[in-house]
Amino acid sequence: MSHLIVKEQKTIIRNAFFTFLYFTLAIGLAIGILYTDIFYLQNMIEEESLVEYTQSLSLTILTLMFSRHAYRSPQWRGGFVLITGFFLCMLIRESDAIFDNLIRHGSWAYFAITTALVCIIYAFTHRQSTIDGLAQFAKQKEFHSFIIGLLTVLLASRLIGYGGLWRFILYNDYPHVVKNIIEETTELFGYLIMLFSCLSLTRHFK
């Protein structure tokens, strides 16, 4: 067996190990943060909780990360602006309580829609860098774990936190706090997968 083949196999094994490691870390962090909220801070995962703050922090890091890449990579800027806008819209949605208190209920939607329109218009008017940036993002191997994290946030957490499911299992008097804890912790797990995937992925953009 040639030296190059052995080296390639070692690289594959090392990459597989690191993938296992950051999935394990994401699970450990999500559960650890949940336990800290419940046992030490003694709150039931309401709007002001360590789980919610960590979700917002993850989105803030992702937004800043890709806005930096958009600034530093003009050849991929359109795609990275679109990705930045996506994370920023998610962050605005996660911060809905802040907008509710400062302005009025539901006002977060106006900021999210404005952000989305600005980013979409920029991406449309810079189509080549948008296509190149999105392709550069999607071709990395970490993109697959990022998609798993995204679907965990957008789909799995919503389905597992569906009120009808809990009413069917525990009847109409089910404890809302249990549903909320499971939904928010699943969502946090998804955010952490996205964050760790993008932290690993962005080394290709330097």
Side-chain angles (χ1 to χ4, degrees), residues 150-162 183 186-187:
L150 182 62
L151 290 176
T152 300
V153 171
L154 298 181
L155 189 60
S157 68
R158 298 294 179 266
L159 292 176
I160 202 169
Y162 174 55
E183 180 178 356
T186 303
E187 192 172 328

Side-chain angles (χ1 to χ4, degrees), residues 56-196:
S56 296
L57 178 61
S58 298
L59 285 171
T60 300
I61 294 172
L62 287 165
T63 301
L64 293 174
M65 184 190 309
F66 279 95
S67 63
R68 177 174 176 267
H69 290 315
Y71 175 76
R72 298 184 63 179
S73 306
Q75 73 275 27
W76 301 324
R77 184 167 293 155
F80 289 162
V81 164
L82 208 55
I83 296 168
T84 300
F86 175 73
F87 288 133
L88 184 54
C89 287
M90 293 183 75
L91 177 60
I92 292 170
R93 177 63 184 90
E94 284 294 333
S95 307
D96 60 333
I98 297 175
F99 291 99
D100 290 349
N101 292 331
L102 292 178
I103 306 174
R104 67 182 180 85
H105 181 71
S107 59
W108 68 268
Y110 299 108
F111 292 92
I113 291 170
T114 301
T115 299
L117 286 175
V118 169
C119 293
I120 289 170
I121 290 170
Y122 182 90
F124 183 77
T125 55
H126 298 77
R127 276 171 281 188
Q128 191 56 55
S129 70
T130 299
I131 293 171
D132 291 344
L134 293 176
Q136 182 68 16
F137 180 64
K139 78 177 185 179
Q140 310 303 332
K141 68 180 187 307
E142 294 89 350
F143 178 75
H144 299 94
S145 55
F146 167 80
I147 289 297
I148 292 172
L150 182 62
L151 290 176
T152 300
V153 171
L154 298 181
L155 189 60
S157 68
R158 298 294 179 266
L159 292 176
I160 202 169
Y162 174 55
L165 172 67
W166 291 94
R167 283 192 293 272
F168 182 81
I169 297 172
L170 300 173
Y171 305 104
N172 290 330
D173 59 345
Y174 75 94
H176 182 78
V177 65
V178 175
K179 163 202 171 298
N180 196 47
I181 287 173
I182 292 175
E183 180 178 356
E184 294 299 332
T185 306
T186 303
E187 192 172 328
L188 174 60
F189 174 54
Y191 280 128
L192 291 173
I193 292 176
M194 291 165 60
L195 177 60
F196 295 155

